[in-house]
Amino acid sequence: MYEERPPAPDLAARVACHWHQVSESSSTQLVVPDACVDLIWGPGGLFVAGPDTGPMPTEMAAGDVFVGVRFRPGAAADLFGVPLHTLRDQRIHLSDLPPAALLAPLTTLDPTALLTSSTTAHPAALHASVNRPDPAALPASFTTNDPAALSASFTTPHPRPALPTESAFSATRTTPDLAAKHAALTAATRTLLTHLTTPARSAAAARSTNAAAQLADPAAPFIARALRLGRSVSEVARDLGLSERQLHRRSLTAFGYAPKTLQRIVRFQRALRLARAGVPLATVAAEAGYADQAHLSHEVKRLSGVSLRTLAPPNPHP
């Protein structure tokens, strides 16, 4: 069972959706690139799913529960205390990232406690505890904009970890757990947005009534949208008054990708949405900006490892 929920209004500028998945049987879930970064509470605890460049098969056992916050493309560059490209194609436990101390009330919580606490009182209590971090506990790397210091604080990543089964969960006991974890991750997101990774950004957030609207690079949404709609890298750079080298640096910082890679991924996601809406594949290729249907097929296989028909099977009852 997979379900998405819209974000709270104050988070909508940064967050694409909240989501959860409860595995009803042992299976392999194929995660495909979407230019997003997710903060996820899974069987092994909290981890960050960085921006992917290819398919990411994820093993799920029966009863496994995953709850996540999906950040919009370009909206998470300043949240986790490390250059975003270092998270590319990685699944990193939150304990290995600078915000671990900031979110300690969440990272040290025993997940089984969620199942024995009140389903009405516990999320609120969690919200309050996560939003009252001890500033003295924050690592210096979380309040610096020095790339060397940030990289030094980043320990060896876990290479796509096979997370252990969370045996305390069962399909019949997930409802209070889901509610509590959604509330906790919402609180964690608000906390991250008010303790950003540079002093200037943090001060600006503290003065703002809507910190979520203050993207590290305000041009990021324009870059992603323009590339998705078929503008070339050179055209986007010119529209922003940048050189292509400057656009490359800003794209790498905001998305974790070079512009060409970002273009391929957002174009792929546009094609996937069209195909899932029932648009014929020849039309999908044209509308998504591919040279032809063969080009579409090649790119989909390269990014996902499977065909577009596998990702978006035809509706037998149109």
Side-chain angles (χ1 to χ4, degrees), residues 314-318:
N315 184 354
H317 304 291

Side-chain angles (χ1 to χ4, degrees), residues 114-203:
L114 295 174
L115 299 178
T116 57
S117 301
S118 164
T119 59
T120 56
H122 190 79
L126 233 175
H127 186 161
S129 67
V130 172
N131 277 282
R132 286 199 298 268
D134 177 8
L138 296 180
S141 60
F142 200 65
T143 56
T144 181
N145 58 0
D146 177 8
L150 290 174
S151 296
S153 71
F154 184 52
T155 59
T156 302
H158 298 267
R160 306 181 182 182
L163 300 173
T165 301
E166 195 171 284
S167 57
F169 292 144
S170 69
T172 59
R173 302 184 68 189
T174 56
T175 300
D177 174 59
L178 289 175
K181 286 187 174 180
H182 275 296
L185 287 179
T186 297
T189 301
R190 291 193 175 105
T191 299
L192 288 172
L193 289 171
T194 54
H195 296 78
L196 299 172
T197 58
T198 68
R201 298 275 302 132
S202 184

Side-chain angles (χ1 to χ4, degrees), residues 88-288:
R88 190 169 53 222
D89 294 320
Q90 300 292 339
R91 302 297 184 259
I92 311 296
H93 284 285
L94 191 63
S95 59
D96 289 338
L97 294 170
L102 181 68
L103 300 180
L106 188 58
T107 58
T108 59
L109 184 69
D110 177 4
T112 60
L114 295 174
L115 299 178
T116 57
S117 301
S118 164
T119 59
T120 56
H122 190 79
L126 233 175
H127 186 161
S129 67
V130 172
N131 277 282
R132 286 199 298 268
D134 177 8
L138 296 180
S141 60
F142 200 65
T143 56
T144 181
N145 58 0
D146 177 8
L150 290 174
S151 296
S153 71
F154 184 52
T155 59
T156 302
H158 298 267
R160 306 181 182 182
L163 300 173
T165 301
E166 195 171 284
S167 57
F169 292 144
S170 69
T172 59
R173 302 184 68 189
T174 56
T175 300
D177 174 59
L178 289 175
K181 286 187 174 180
H182 275 296
L185 287 179
T186 297
T189 301
R190 291 193 175 105
T191 299
L192 288 172
L193 289 171
T194 54
H195 296 78
L196 299 172
T197 58
T198 68
R201 298 275 302 132
S202 184
R207 292 192 301 268
S208 174
T209 58
N210 186 11
Q214 300 182 12
L215 295 180
D217 188 343
F222 170 82
I223 295 170
R225 184 170 58 252
L227 292 173
R228 184 173 61 249
L229 295 178
R231 301 285 285 175
S232 69
V233 172
S234 60
E235 289 172 331
V236 174
R238 186 175 64 246
D239 291 343
L240 290 172
L242 303 173
S243 68
E244 290 191 39
R245 181 173 296 182
Q246 288 172 321
L247 179 62
H248 183 279
R249 287 198 299 267
R250 289 178 69 162
S251 179
L252 200 63
T253 298
F255 303 98
Y257 301 134
K260 285 287 189 182
T261 301
L262 175 64
Q263 182 180 52
R264 291 175 53 234
I265 290 170
V266 296
R267 182 175 57 190
F268 159 68
Q269 280 292 326
R270 187 181 184 201
L272 188 54
R273 285 192 294 272
L274 290 170
R276 286 174 171 167
V279 176
L281 296 191
T283 305
V284 169
E287 291 192 9

Side-chain angles (χ1 to χ4, degrees), residues 2-21 37-40 66-72 178-190 193:
Y2 175 81
E3 180 182 327
E4 292 184 0
R5 302 177 180 181
D10 64 308
L11 300 179
R14 292 266 195 164
V15 174
C17 68
H18 300 269
W19 59 270
H20 63 256
Q21 182 156 1
V37 174
D38 291 53
L39 176 62
I40 302 172
F66 290 80
V67 181
V69 174
R70 180 166 301 134
F71 294 94
R72 296 183 183 278
L178 289 175
K181 286 187 174 180
H182 275 296
L185 287 179
T186 297
T189 301
R190 291 193 175 105
L193 289 171

